[in-house]
Amino acid sequence: MPEYRLEKVFPVYAVGVSEPDPNLIVSVANTASTLGDPIWDAVKLEAKLEAEKEPILSSFLYASILTHDCLERALSFVLSNRLQNPTLLATQLMDIFSDVIMHNRCIQCSIRLDLQACKDRDPSCLSYCSALLYLKGYHALQTHRVAHTLWNQGRKVLALALQSRVSEVFGVDIHPAAQIGEGILLDHATGVVIGETAVIGNRVSLMQGVTLGGTGKEIGDRHPKIGQGALIGASATILGNIKIGEGAMVGAGSLVMKDVPPHSMVTGIPAKVIGYVDDQDPSLTMKHDASKAFFKQVAISCKEARSNGAVASKDDGST
């Protein structure tokens, strides 16, 4: 496969560099005529090769990718066919998705950055083509982008209908009002819940089972704010209007109810800071495991806490 100069079209951080260069963040529409669309070119080439290797999938690949003239229409086709039901037809959904995506340059850029994120950060992702066709985290995220646009246009009932279908089909529940940046990876995605006033920055990676929820029946701004470059581990639960700092890492299974400092690593129930990460954006490296130094620090802290507790208990008994 030929090497594509992705940095010409997309922000540098999409291909694994932490700091984006504002001069490179240009809209797809303005660059397509002179630089082409390397992501779409890669998708088409991969689809052609797969059709040759697996003839039984050739009709599917042609209908889903090769008959379309751009990534936007191919994605609209894929999403429509994944989400259709007897009363919400694929043709109707295709019109909705195409109309929104084709007229929204931010979404056009985001669908490519998210696709690149899947390819770069998910070791099981074989190709751009496979991410576009099969990864439900990618599908759920792009459907949310369309639903979010509809929500902001005042078409809230339709936006909620899309949210409902995504929840039924993909097992992912993202409120249409939630604000999500670009270059996002929902890895595996099953069980991800993102509340109405949640905000997720650019370059964030979330594993399966993550909850960004509220703490009760309060209204208003009540959901977490995730800083750019953060990595949220599997089944982590983050509750309330709190901030997860830029480049922070939340360990799998943690319960977070307080602000997390930037570039720190928290874990446990309730979550506590156990160290600081070396990576500028752990979401790009996807290193979930703590270093030996982290575990040593945790072990020492636990031992000291137990010792202090034992001493305190002895003192209480002697008084």
Side-chain angles (χ1 to χ4, degrees):
M1 184 181 298
E3 293 293 328
Y4 291 96
R5 298 290 302 280
L6 296 177
E7 68 273 15
K8 286 186 176 181
V9 182
F10 309 111
V12 173
Y13 64 75
V15 291
V17 178
S18 296
E19 292 300 326
D21 181 351
N23 295 324
L24 295 175
I25 302 178
V26 293
S27 71
V28 173
N30 289 340
T31 59
S33 59
T34 57
L35 298 175
D37 188 344
I39 293 281
W40 176 235
D41 290 342
V43 169
K44 289 187 294 182
L45 178 57
E46 292 163 353
K48 289 177 182 177
L49 295 175
E50 289 301 321
E52 294 173 1
K53 288 193 292 184
E54 289 288 355
I56 196 171
L57 293 177
S58 59
S59 296
F60 166 69
L61 291 167
Y62 274 92
S64 301
I65 294 176
L66 297 174
T67 60
H68 302 286
D69 60 359
C70 62
L71 179 61
E72 288 77 8
R73 290 195 171 91
L75 176 61
S76 298
F77 180 88
V78 170
L79 296 179
S80 300
N81 282 276
R82 292 298 304 273
L83 295 173
Q84 67 171 324
N85 67 14
T87 57
L88 197 56
L89 304 181
T91 52
Q92 295 173 313
L93 290 171
M94 179 76 177
D95 289 341
I96 294 168
F97 286 123
S98 294
D99 181 61
V100 171
I101 297 174
M102 294 299 293
H103 293 88
N104 191 309
R105 292 183 179 179
C106 289
I107 293 181
Q108 290 170 17
C109 186
S110 293
I111 64 176
R112 289 165 170 82
L113 291 171
D114 296 341
L115 200 60
Q116 186 68 46
C118 292
K119 183 66 169 59
D120 285 348
R121 302 178 212 163
D122 184 353
S124 67
C125 180
L126 299 176
S127 62
Y128 298 103
C129 177
S130 63
L132 174 63
L133 293 175
Y134 309 126
L135 295 191
K136 67 177 183 178
Y138 180 75
H139 296 160
L141 183 57
Q142 307 324 313
T143 304
H144 166 74
R145 296 195 185 283
V146 172
H148 183 69
T149 299
L150 294 171
W151 181 272
N152 289 336
Q153 292 175 349
R155 304 174 70 181
K156 295 186 176 181
V157 174
L158 180 54
L160 291 171
L162 291 179
Q163 176 196 3
S164 177
R165 285 301 293 155
V166 167
S167 180
E168 293 171 12
V169 176
F170 303 132
V172 178
D173 194 352
I174 309 175
H175 194 283
Q179 301 176 49
I180 300 181
E182 57 193 17
I184 305 298
L185 174 64
L186 300 184
D187 198 2
H188 301 291
T190 301
V192 168
V193 177
I194 300 175
E196 179 181 9
T197 60
V199 178
I200 299 176
N202 298 331
R203 316 191 292 284
V204 170
S205 295
L206 297 92
M207 303 301 292
Q208 68 273 15
V210 168
T211 297
L212 305 182
T215 56
K217 297 194 298 182
E218 71 274 12
I219 60 175
D221 195 354
R222 60 195 184 279
H223 294 102
K225 311 298 181 278
I226 311 299
Q228 64 182 16
L231 172 59
I232 314 299
S235 298
T237 299
I238 305 174
L239 301 178
N241 184 16
I242 61 175
K243 294 181 180 180
I244 307 300
E246 293 184 7
M249 183 189 304
V250 178
S254 298
L255 172 62
V256 186
M257 300 185 71
K258 296 181 179 179
D259 290 350
V260 173
H263 305 291
S264 64
M265 181 176 186
V266 301
T267 188
I269 301 176
K272 297 180 180 179
V273 175
I274 64 169
Y276 291 85
V277 297
D278 297 327
D279 300 312
Q280 178 73 16
D281 288 335
S283 62
L284 301 182
T285 62
M286 296 294 286
K287 293 179 181 177
H288 297 271
D289 56 325
S291 66
K292 290 182 180 180
F294 282 156
F295 287 118
K296 184 177 180 180
Q297 180 179 344
V298 172
I300 293 173
S301 298
C302 290
K303 185 176 180 180
E304 290 177 348
R306 288 171 183 167
S307 298
N308 292 336
V311 171
S313 298
K314 184 180 294 185
D315 291 342
D316 291 341
S318 62
T319 53

Short mmCIF file of all heavy atoms in Angstrom, two decimals, residues 141 143-149 151-152 159-160 163 173-181 192-201 212 221-225:
data_model
loop_
_atom_site.label_atom_id
_atom_site.label_comp_id
_atom_site.label_asym_id
_atom_site.label_seq_id
_atom_site.Cartn_x
_atom_site.Cartn_y
_atom_site.Cartn_z
N LEU A 141 -20.10 6.81 17.51
CA LEU A 141 -19.56 8.16 17.63
C LEU A 141 -20.01 9.04 16.47
O LEU A 141 -20.40 10.20 16.66
CB LEU A 141 -18.04 8.10 17.70
CG LEU A 141 -17.29 9.41 17.89
CD1 LEU A 141 -17.76 10.14 19.15
CD2 LEU A 141 -15.79 9.15 17.97
N THR A 143 -22.64 8.59 14.53
CA THR A 143 -24.08 8.83 14.65
C THR A 143 -24.35 9.92 15.67
O THR A 143 -25.23 10.77 15.48
CB THR A 143 -24.81 7.54 15.05
OG1 THR A 143 -24.51 6.50 14.12
CG2 THR A 143 -26.32 7.76 15.07
N HIS A 144 -23.59 9.91 16.76
CA HIS A 144 -23.74 10.98 17.75
C HIS A 144 -23.43 12.34 17.14
O HIS A 144 -24.12 13.32 17.44
CB HIS A 144 -22.82 10.76 18.94
CG HIS A 144 -22.69 11.99 19.80
ND1 HIS A 144 -23.70 12.43 20.65
CD2 HIS A 144 -21.70 12.93 19.88
CE1 HIS A 144 -23.32 13.55 21.23
NE2 HIS A 144 -22.12 13.88 20.78
N ARG A 145 -22.43 12.42 16.30
CA ARG A 145 -22.08 13.72 15.70
C ARG A 145 -23.25 14.26 14.89
O ARG A 145 -23.54 15.45 14.92
CB ARG A 145 -20.83 13.57 14.84
CG ARG A 145 -19.59 13.19 15.64
CD ARG A 145 -18.31 13.40 14.84
NE ARG A 145 -17.14 12.91 15.57
CZ ARG A 145 -16.55 13.53 16.57
NH1 ARG A 145 -17.04 14.69 17.00
NH2 ARG A 145 -15.48 13.00 17.16
N VAL A 146 -23.92 13.37 14.18
CA VAL A 146 -25.11 13.78 13.42
C VAL A 146 -26.24 14.16 14.37
O VAL A 146 -26.89 15.21 14.20
CB VAL A 146 -25.56 12.66 12.47
CG1 VAL A 146 -26.90 13.00 11.81
CG2 VAL A 146 -24.49 12.40 11.40
N ALA A 147 -26.47 13.34 15.40
CA ALA A 147 -27.54 13.63 16.36
C ALA A 147 -27.28 14.94 17.09
O ALA A 147 -28.21 15.71 17.36
CB ALA A 147 -27.66 12.47 17.36
N HIS A 148 -26.01 15.21 17.41
CA HIS A 148 -25.66 16.46 18.10
C HIS A 148 -25.98 17.67 17.23
O HIS A 148 -26.49 18.69 17.72
CB HIS A 148 -24.17 16.44 18.44
CG HIS A 148 -23.71 17.64 19.20
ND1 HIS A 148 -24.07 17.90 20.52
CD2 HIS A 148 -22.90 18.68 18.83
CE1 HIS A 148 -23.51 19.03 20.91
NE2 HIS A 148 -22.79 19.52 19.91
N THR A 149 -25.70 17.55 15.95
CA THR A 149 -26.03 18.65 15.03
C THR A 149 -27.54 18.85 14.96
O THR A 149 -28.03 19.99 14.99
CB THR A 149 -25.47 18.34 13.62
OG1 THR A 149 -24.04 18.22 13.70
CG2 THR A 149 -25.83 19.44 12.64
N TRP A 151 -29.70 18.08 17.24
CA TRP A 151 -30.12 18.63 18.53
C TRP A 151 -29.93 20.14 18.55
O TRP A 151 -30.82 20.88 19.00
CB TRP A 151 -29.31 17.97 19.65
CG TRP A 151 -29.65 18.41 21.04
CD1 TRP A 151 -29.11 19.48 21.72
CD2 TRP A 151 -30.60 17.81 21.93
NE1 TRP A 151 -29.65 19.56 22.98
CE2 TRP A 151 -30.57 18.55 23.14
CE3 TRP A 151 -31.45 16.71 21.83
CZ2 TRP A 151 -31.37 18.23 24.23
CZ3 TRP A 151 -32.25 16.39 22.92
CH2 TRP A 151 -32.21 17.14 24.10
N ASN A 152 -28.79 20.60 18.08
CA ASN A 152 -28.51 22.04 18.07
C ASN A 152 -29.36 22.78 17.07
O ASN A 152 -29.53 24.00 17.19
CB ASN A 152 -27.03 22.27 17.77
CG ASN A 152 -26.13 21.85 18.92
OD1 ASN A 152 -26.57 21.80 20.08
ND2 ASN A 152 -24.88 21.54 18.63
N ALA A 159 -33.09 13.64 17.01
CA ALA A 159 -31.80 13.35 17.65
C ALA A 159 -31.94 12.26 18.71
O ALA A 159 -31.11 11.35 18.79
CB ALA A 159 -31.24 14.63 18.28
N LEU A 160 -33.01 12.33 19.49
CA LEU A 160 -33.24 11.31 20.52
C LEU A 160 -33.57 9.96 19.90
O LEU A 160 -33.22 8.91 20.46
CB LEU A 160 -34.36 11.76 21.45
CG LEU A 160 -34.02 12.95 22.36
CD1 LEU A 160 -35.27 13.45 23.08
CD2 LEU A 160 -32.94 12.57 23.37
N GLN A 163 -30.29 8.49 19.07
CA GLN A 163 -29.66 8.02 20.31
C GLN A 163 -30.24 6.68 20.73
O GLN A 163 -29.50 5.76 21.11
CB GLN A 163 -29.86 9.03 21.43
CG GLN A 163 -29.30 8.57 22.79
CD GLN A 163 -29.84 9.37 23.96
OE1 GLN A 163 -30.69 10.25 23.79
NE2 GLN A 163 -29.35 9.08 25.14
N ASP A 173 -24.67 4.52 24.80
CA ASP A 173 -25.70 5.53 25.07
C ASP A 173 -25.04 6.90 25.26
O ASP A 173 -24.44 7.17 26.29
CB ASP A 173 -26.47 5.14 26.34
CG ASP A 173 -27.77 5.93 26.49
OD1 ASP A 173 -27.98 6.88 25.71
OD2 ASP A 173 -28.55 5.61 27.41
N ILE A 174 -25.14 7.74 24.23
CA ILE A 174 -24.56 9.08 24.26
C ILE A 174 -25.68 10.09 24.05
O ILE A 174 -26.36 10.07 23.01
CB ILE A 174 -23.49 9.27 23.17
CG1 ILE A 174 -22.46 8.15 23.19
CG2 ILE A 174 -22.82 10.63 23.32
CD1 ILE A 174 -21.44 8.22 22.06
N HIS A 175 -25.89 10.95 25.02
CA HIS A 175 -26.93 11.96 24.87
C HIS A 175 -26.57 12.91 23.73
O HIS A 175 -25.40 13.32 23.61
CB HIS A 175 -27.10 12.75 26.17
CG HIS A 175 -28.36 13.57 26.20
ND1 HIS A 175 -28.50 14.76 25.52
CD2 HIS A 175 -29.55 13.35 26.81
CE1 HIS A 175 -29.71 15.25 25.72
NE2 HIS A 175 -30.37 14.42 26.51
N PRO A 176 -27.54 13.28 22.90
CA PRO A 176 -27.24 14.14 21.74
C PRO A 176 -26.65 15.50 22.10
O PRO A 176 -25.97 16.11 21.27
CB PRO A 176 -28.60 14.31 21.06
CG PRO A 176 -29.41 13.16 21.52
CD PRO A 176 -28.95 12.84 22.90
N ALA A 177 -26.87 15.96 23.32
CA ALA A 177 -26.35 17.28 23.71
C ALA A 177 -24.89 17.22 24.15
O ALA A 177 -24.23 18.26 24.25
CB ALA A 177 -27.20 17.88 24.83
N ALA A 178 -24.38 16.04 24.43
CA ALA A 178 -22.99 15.92 24.88
C ALA A 178 -22.04 16.47 23.82
O ALA A 178 -22.24 16.28 22.62
CB ALA A 178 -22.66 14.46 25.18
N GLN A 179 -20.98 17.14 24.28
CA GLN A 179 -20.01 17.74 23.37
C GLN A 179 -18.75 16.88 23.31
O GLN A 179 -18.11 16.65 24.34
CB GLN A 179 -19.65 19.15 23.85
CG GLN A 179 -20.85 20.09 23.95
CD GLN A 179 -20.46 21.44 24.53
OE1 GLN A 179 -19.50 22.06 24.10
NE2 GLN A 179 -21.22 21.90 25.52
N ILE A 180 -18.43 16.41 22.12
CA ILE A 180 -17.32 15.49 21.95
C ILE A 180 -16.36 16.04 20.90
O ILE A 180 -16.78 16.42 19.81
CB ILE A 180 -17.82 14.09 21.55
CG1 ILE A 180 -18.75 13.54 22.64
CG2 ILE A 180 -16.64 13.14 21.32
CD1 ILE A 180 -19.29 12.16 22.35
N GLY A 181 -15.08 16.07 21.23
CA GLY A 181 -14.06 16.59 20.33
C GLY A 181 -13.74 15.64 19.20
O GLY A 181 -14.51 14.72 18.88
N VAL A 192 -20.66 1.96 27.02
CA VAL A 192 -20.27 3.36 27.24
C VAL A 192 -21.52 4.22 27.42
O VAL A 192 -22.47 4.13 26.63
CB VAL A 192 -19.42 3.89 26.06
CG1 VAL A 192 -19.26 5.42 26.15
CG2 VAL A 192 -18.06 3.23 26.05
N VAL A 193 -21.52 5.06 28.46
CA VAL A 193 -22.63 5.98 28.73
C VAL A 193 -22.05 7.37 28.92
O VAL A 193 -21.16 7.58 29.76
CB VAL A 193 -23.41 5.56 29.99
CG1 VAL A 193 -24.52 6.58 30.30
CG2 VAL A 193 -24.01 4.16 29.83
N ILE A 194 -22.57 8.33 28.15
CA ILE A 194 -22.08 9.72 28.21
C ILE A 194 -23.30 10.63 28.39
O ILE A 194 -24.20 10.65 27.54
CB ILE A 194 -21.30 10.09 26.95
CG1 ILE A 194 -20.09 9.16 26.78
CG2 ILE A 194 -20.86 11.54 27.00
CD1 ILE A 194 -19.32 9.36 25.49
N GLY A 195 -23.32 11.37 29.48
CA GLY A 195 -24.48 12.17 29.84
C GLY A 195 -24.61 13.48 29.08
O GLY A 195 -23.71 13.91 28.35
N GLU A 196 -25.73 14.12 29.30
CA GLU A 196 -26.16 15.28 28.52
C GLU A 196 -25.18 16.44 28.55
O GLU A 196 -24.91 17.05 27.50
CB GLU A 196 -27.52 15.76 29.05
CG GLU A 196 -28.06 16.99 28.34
CD GLU A 196 -29.39 17.45 28.89
OE1 GLU A 196 -29.82 16.93 29.94
OE2 GLU A 196 -30.00 18.36 28.29
N THR A 197 -24.62 16.77 29.70
CA THR A 197 -23.75 17.95 29.79
C THR A 197 -22.27 17.58 29.84
O THR A 197 -21.43 18.42 30.19
CB THR A 197 -24.11 18.80 31.02
OG1 THR A 197 -23.96 18.01 32.21
CG2 THR A 197 -25.55 19.28 30.94
N ALA A 198 -21.96 16.35 29.48
CA ALA A 198 -20.56 15.92 29.44
C ALA A 198 -19.83 16.63 28.29
O ALA A 198 -20.42 16.93 27.25
CB ALA A 198 -20.46 14.42 29.27
N VAL A 199 -18.55 16.88 28.50
CA VAL A 199 -17.70 17.48 27.48
C VAL A 199 -16.43 16.64 27.39
O VAL A 199 -15.78 16.38 28.41
CB VAL A 199 -17.34 18.94 27.80
CG1 VAL A 199 -16.42 19.51 26.72
CG2 VAL A 199 -18.60 19.79 27.93
N ILE A 200 -16.08 16.23 26.18
CA ILE A 200 -14.87 15.42 25.96
C ILE A 200 -13.97 16.18 25.00
O ILE A 200 -14.39 16.55 23.90
CB ILE A 200 -15.23 14.04 25.39
CG1 ILE A 200 -16.13 13.28 26.37
CG2 ILE A 200 -13.98 13.24 25.06
CD1 ILE A 200 -16.61 11.94 25.85
N GLY A 201 -12.73 16.41 25.40
CA GLY A 201 -11.79 17.14 24.56
C GLY A 201 -11.24 16.29 23.42
O GLY A 201 -11.61 15.12 23.26
N LEU A 212 -19.82 8.38 32.06
CA LEU A 212 -19.66 9.80 32.39
C LEU A 212 -21.04 10.28 32.81
O LEU A 212 -21.85 10.70 31.98
CB LEU A 212 -19.13 10.60 31.19
CG LEU A 212 -17.83 10.10 30.54
CD1 LEU A 212 -17.43 11.03 29.40
CD2 LEU A 212 -16.72 9.98 31.55
N ASP A 221 -25.71 21.83 34.58
CA ASP A 221 -24.40 21.26 34.23
C ASP A 221 -24.00 20.27 35.30
O ASP A 221 -23.58 20.63 36.39
CB ASP A 221 -23.38 22.40 34.12
CG ASP A 221 -22.11 21.96 33.42
OD1 ASP A 221 -21.98 20.77 33.12
OD2 ASP A 221 -21.23 22.82 33.18
N ARG A 222 -24.07 18.98 34.99
CA ARG A 222 -23.95 17.96 36.03
C ARG A 222 -23.08 16.76 35.64
O ARG A 222 -23.04 15.77 36.35
CB ARG A 222 -25.34 17.44 36.41
CG ARG A 222 -26.09 16.82 35.23
CD ARG A 222 -27.57 16.65 35.55
NE ARG A 222 -28.29 15.98 34.48
CZ ARG A 222 -28.73 16.57 33.37
NH1 ARG A 222 -28.49 17.86 33.18
NH2 ARG A 222 -29.39 15.89 32.46
N HIS A 223 -22.39 16.85 34.51
CA HIS A 223 -21.61 15.72 34.02
C HIS A 223 -20.13 16.07 33.88
O HIS A 223 -19.76 17.25 33.82
CB HIS A 223 -22.17 15.22 32.68
CG HIS A 223 -23.54 14.65 32.79
ND1 HIS A 223 -24.68 15.35 32.41
CD2 HIS A 223 -23.98 13.43 33.23
CE1 HIS A 223 -25.74 14.60 32.62
NE2 HIS A 223 -25.35 13.43 33.12
N PRO A 224 -19.27 15.07 33.80
CA PRO A 224 -17.81 15.31 33.78
C PRO A 224 -17.33 16.04 32.53
O PRO A 224 -17.95 16.00 31.47
CB PRO A 224 -17.23 13.89 33.82
CG PRO A 224 -18.31 13.03 34.37
CD PRO A 224 -19.58 13.63 33.88
N LYS A 225 -16.17 16.68 32.70
CA LYS A 225 -15.47 17.33 31.62
C LYS A 225 -14.11 16.65 31.47
O LYS A 225 -13.29 16.68 32.40
CB LYS A 225 -15.27 18.83 31.92
CG LYS A 225 -16.54 19.55 32.38
CD LYS A 225 -17.64 19.54 31.34
CE LYS A 225 -18.89 20.28 31.82
NZ LYS A 225 -19.75 19.44 32.70
#
